[in-house]
Amino acid sequence: QAGLYEAPTAVRLEDGRWCLFLDYYGVPGDGQGYVPFVADSMASGRFVRSDASFHFPYGYKHGTVIKISTQEYERIRGYYG
């Protein structure tokens, strides 16, 4: 079975571009999980797969993106390591 995509999540990047994260499933092992696609603008609708720009540990799936401060990040990092 070929891989399939579901559960899109879009977020605007700090440089103004858009990133669409899709959950890639239906393939065995490390090939599964979030895959990033980036577009210069939402209006263009042209999203290009951008694996080299983003990396997620294996298994991350359905979720969302929220902006946090550096202080919040450091607290989370300190707790989870």
Side-chain angles (χ1 to χ4, degrees):
Q1 174 185 3
L4 305 169
Y5 294 96
E6 68 178 2
T9 298
V11 61
R12 190 157 197 185
L13 303 174
E14 290 183 2
D15 64 7
R17 296 179 302 156
W18 286 88
C19 185
L20 178 65
F21 297 106
L22 296 171
D23 179 8
Y24 184 62
Y25 70 99
V27 296
D30 289 340
Q32 295 188 56
Y34 277 132
V35 177
F37 294 81
V38 175
D40 289 333
S41 74
M42 190 66 82
S44 76
R46 186 175 181 278
F47 284 84
V48 177
R49 189 166 172 162
S50 303
D51 296 57
S53 299
F54 299 88
H55 173 73
F56 296 98
Y58 168 71
Y60 280 102
K61 296 180 160 290
H62 302 242
T64 193
V65 177
I66 61 170
K67 188 172 185 174
I68 61 173
S69 68
T70 302
Q71 185 178 36
E72 290 166 322
Y73 171 77
E74 291 302 330
R75 284 182 29 222
I76 294 168
R77 187 172 164 214
Y79 185 82
Y80 290 104

